[in-house]
Amino acid sequence: MLLRLRPTAKPSIANHVRRHFCTTGALHNAGSFAPKPQVFHHVAPLREYRKDLLFNKRTVGLVPTMGALHEGHLSLVRQAAVENTDVFVTIYVNPTQFGLNEDLGSYPKTWEADMRLLATLDRELASVGSGRVSAVFAPSTKTMYPALPPDSSVPGVGSFIEMRPLGQLLEGASRPVFFRGVATVCMKLFNICAPDRVYFGQKDIQQTVIIKRLVKDFHLDMDVRIGATAREPDGLALSSRNVYLGTRRRNVGIVLSQSLRKAEAQYKAGKRKRGDILWQANAHADNVLMQQDSLEPSKRATFEVDYISLADPDTMEEVDEVDETRGAILSGAVKMLPLEQPSEGEELGVGDGQIPVRLIDNIVLDPVS
Ligand code: AMP
């Protein structure tokens, strides 16, 4: 059963900065020697801690992650700290959202670096009197899936949440178990952490639509907040998986963001029909692919375009024409293929350029008022 916890008021920041609670509910001075975020591996102590917070009328913003933290994750934590007294960050690589042939085994794990980043960010938040990163929840898979070993096969034995057809479109078409795993693990995390607000990145836009639907359809008592996509200066969306790219594939990988920008420009220029918006995006991706194909194997980085989509913002169904009162979502996915031939001294990234990397990105086409 979902633990309903809803404080009536956000306490003053001054009150929050003065007092910081540990799991037993005892008070600590927060000041310069504030405790680092507390790490929880088990459900019961985290629930006790959450109850203490509720009892003291504090609010919790939850930022679920799979670790390998970067600025995109941290920007969500900052946003959560503005709107809540306490931020919970979860770090858990959820096996049920990885297909049997996907990169679960090689997904980057950087626990020490993640904890350092969170501790540093927490000190920054303390200095501005904002909410604090008070808890990190890092459960084991036995804790998250107590009844059975988790099953990533398509038939899937176990207790799952599925959203059809939303979870089967776009990313779900290429990764059939992905959104079943995401919705299931998020429901578990929401039940355990009982947050007032949950924070997700626009980078994974279909995931944000799934989570909003989960909260609505299951009457979950929490608000969903979406944070802007954090990018490299040239526009490449930050992702934990970018460490696999290496310099050559990273430079070509910008093709996705560039293609979407070209489609966005068409919308901004007043185009509303699907073909008129998408043709420049498709043409750009085709051109870049042709350029790469014409190069020597030791120079090129080739890729496959999985999809470039123009979809309804609530259903993610493809649209033939954008209803400008609703806007639309432009999104795409590109698979950077393994390098055929490394060159002498080349920076190849983690996995020596041999791990395929799926890049996703999107742009929201705002309604025209
Ligand atoms: P992940 O660890 O990749 O599962 O991501 C955890 C959360 O961080 C999700 O809500 C993601 O959408 C969000 N996130 C990942 N990359 C970015 C980014 N570049 N900008 C903003 N949020 C992001």
Side-chain angles (χ1 to χ4, degrees), residues 64-67 70 72-73 76 107 199-201 203-204 207 228-230 238:
T65 82
M66 297 206 297
H70 52 65
H73 300 112
L76 292 177
Y107 195 84
Y199 293 81
F200 288 85
K203 152 84 175 13
D204 300 280
Q207 176 167 275
T229 303
L238 300 188

Side-chain angles (χ1 to χ4, degrees), residues 236 242 245 253-254 256 332-336 357-361:
L236 183 77
N242 288 357
L245 284 173
I254 192 66
L256 177 57
V334 158
K335 184 170 160 190
M336 299 305 299
V357 184
R358 188 180 166 78
L359 302 175
I360 61 169
D361 202 348

Side-chain angles (χ1 to χ4, degrees), residues 35-37 69 71 74 77-78 112-128 131-133:
K36 291 192 185 122
L69 300 182
E71 187 50 39
L74 300 186
V77 175
R78 284 197 192 89
E112 275 87 22
D114 291 350
M115 292 309 291
R116 278 198 299 276
L117 280 175
L118 290 175
T120 306
L121 176 55
D122 185 53
R123 282 196 293 278
E124 174 196 314
L125 295 171
S127 70
V128 296
R132 300 289 297 276
V133 186

Side-chain angles (χ1 to χ4, degrees), residues 308-338:
I308 293 186
S309 155
L310 181 68
D312 179 272
D314 294 327
T315 64
M316 299 300 287
E317 303 270 5
E318 297 301 307
V319 295
D320 288 330
E321 186 164 357
V322 179
D323 172 350
E324 60 181 33
T325 64
R326 296 172 53 72
I329 293 172
L330 266 173
S331 65
V334 158
K335 184 170 160 190
M336 299 305 299
L337 299 174

